Amino acid sequence: MMPLPDDDLLTALRAARPVPDAQPAAASDEAAAMLARILRASREPAPRPNRRRFLLAGLSATAGLAAATAIAVAVTSSGPPATRPTVSSVRTAVLDAFDRYAGDIVYSTRTIHLPNGPATTQRAWTYPAFPLPGQQVRFRLFQFGGGGPEDDTESIYIQDASSGLTQSTTQGPKSAEIIDVEYATKTWSRQRSSSVLLAGDLSPSLIRDQIASGSFTVVGPVRLDGRPAIEVTWSLSAGPMTRKTTLWVDAGTYLPLRSVSTMRAGPRHAPLESETTTFEILPATPANVALLAPPIPPGFTRTATSPHF
C-alpha cells in the first residue's frame, strides 16, 4: 500500500472522522475509504441488531415501487470544479460507512406526494440499521395525514437471509409481534401476526444493496442545503413503471442524508407519486432505543386485534 503524503493523510483522517469546524474534503475517496477501514478495525465490533421495510411481507420488492412529481431540494454546485468521484470509490466509501454504523438506529422522515390530494408524512425508526440473519429487528412506523397522526406501529421480527433488492414473494420473515396504535378509533393492540411490517425504503438497507450492486451513476460533488455532499442516481423498472432515485450522501462521512424518488408510468411517463426521505443516524443509547416503542395515549382502549394485521 502506497503511503499518503502527510497533508493528504491529515485531510483524509479529518474527512473519515470529522469534528466540528473541520470539514476538509478528502484528497481522494479511496483514501477516505481506506482510513475508514483502519479506524473501524481499531474499534470493538458493534452489535448488529435490526432492519425493516415499509412493505408487508409477501409482497415483492418491485411491488413497493412508487413515486412522481418533482420536489424542490436546495442543491447547488460545490463551487470551483471538483474531481467527480468514481463509482468504485463511492461504492467502497459508502459501504464502509454503513458497516461502521450497522449497530445504530436509523431515523428517517418521508413525505409522500400524489398528483392529487394532501401529502402523507411517515416517521420511522429502524434498529439495528443493518441486521444480520437471525438478529431481532425492531421497526416503528408513525404515519401522519390530514393534519394529525393516523397510526403508530412497531413490528418486531427475526431477520432472514433474503436480500432487499431480490426478495421474492415467498421470502421474508413469516411472523412478527405487532404493537399497533390506531388514532382514528383511539384503540391499540398487541398480537402475533403473519403480516410483517418491514422497513423497506425507509431504511438504508435497500440503499446499501443498490450501492453494493454498483448500478448507479455518480453525478458529482454538490452542496445540499449548504452541506458538502456527493450526489448519485439510479433507475429501476417494473413493467410500465419506472422509478428514478437521487441520493445525497455526506461528503465527509458518506452516510445518507436525503433521497428523492420519482415514479412514472406508461409511454407518457405520467407521474404517480414522489417521495422525499431524510436520514439521521442515532446511537443505540437506552433513550434512543426507547423511541422504537409507540407510546399509548391516555384514554386509548386495548383491543384483541388490529384492523390492519
Side-chain angles (χ1 to χ4, degrees):
M1 181 183 301
M2 291 293 292
L4 290 172
D6 290 345
D7 290 345
D8 289 351
L9 179 59
L10 178 59
T11 300
L13 281 168
R14 287 175 174 167
R17 279 290 187 277
V19 296
D21 302 320
Q23 299 178 331
S28 71
D29 297 287
E30 291 87 346
M34 177 194 70
L35 288 163
R37 286 194 295 272
I38 294 171
L39 289 166
R40 186 177 72 249
S42 67
R43 298 172 57 187
E44 290 295 323
R48 304 177 94 185
N50 345 7
R51 135 179 192 206
R52 36 267 135 157
R53 169 160 194 198
F54 181 40
L55 192 70
L56 294 180
L59 295 180
S60 67
T62 54
L65 290 179
T69 354
I71 292 192
V73 178
V75 179
T76 60
S77 168
S78 61
T83 302
R84 182 171 63 183
T86 65
V87 168
S88 176
S89 65
V90 170
R91 178 182 181 276
T92 299
V94 169
L95 294 181
D96 281 345
F98 283 13
D99 281 348
R100 294 200 307 276
Y101 294 90
D104 288 336
I105 299 169
V106 177
Y107 172 60
S108 56
T109 302
R110 169 183 289 173
T111 302
I112 303 172
H113 292 269
L114 300 174
N116 299 299
T120 298
T121 299
Q122 298 168 340
R123 299 177 184 171
W125 295 258
T126 301
Y127 175 69
F130 304 110
L132 293 172
Q135 286 185 318
Q136 177 181 271
V137 176
R138 294 181 63 185
F139 172 62
R140 176 186 171 193
L141 180 67
F142 196 5
Q143 182 155 303
F144 297 77
E150 293 182 343
D151 51 76
D152 194 356
T153 307
E154 180 183 7
S155 178
I156 305 171
Y157 57 90
I158 302 301
Q159 175 66 25
D160 71 357
S162 58
S163 169
L165 289 179
T166 60
Q167 181 173 304
S168 71
T169 56
T170 60
Q171 293 176 310
K174 300 301 184 289
S175 68
E177 182 177 1
I178 302 292
I179 299 91
D180 187 44
V181 180
E182 297 286 332
Y183 280 80
T185 58
K186 294 186 177 182
T187 59
W188 71 280
S189 59
R190 186 182 193 120
Q191 66 268 307
R192 197 81 195 170
S193 175
S194 59
S195 296
V196 182
L197 185 65
L198 304 173
D201 295 348
L202 286 168
S203 162
S205 290
L206 289 186
I207 293 176
R208 179 192 58 184
D209 292 345
Q210 184 68 46
I211 295 296
S213 74
S215 300
F216 62 93
T217 299
V218 179
V219 177
V222 296
R223 298 191 75 85
L224 179 69
D225 297 334
R227 185 173 183 174
I230 304 295
E231 180 177 330
V232 303
T233 65
W234 63 83
S235 295
L236 299 174
S237 296
M241 296 185 294
T242 299
R243 180 178 188 173
K244 179 179 179 181
T245 299
T246 300
L247 170 71
W248 292 271
V249 298
D250 186 279
T253 65
Y254 283 89
L255 290 171
L257 297 174
R258 183 180 299 173
S259 68
V260 173
S261 292
T262 314
M263 175 67 78
R264 298 181 181 274
R268 294 180 179 273
H269 300 288
L272 298 180
E273 180 181 292
S274 64
E275 305 171 354
T276 298
T277 306
T278 60
F279 300 96
E280 182 180 355
I281 303 296
L282 306 176
T285 63
N288 287 334
V289 170
L291 297 174
L292 294 156
I296 311 300
F300 276 44
T301 302
R302 182 170 185 174
T303 59
T305 59
S306 162
H308 298 132
F309 298 94

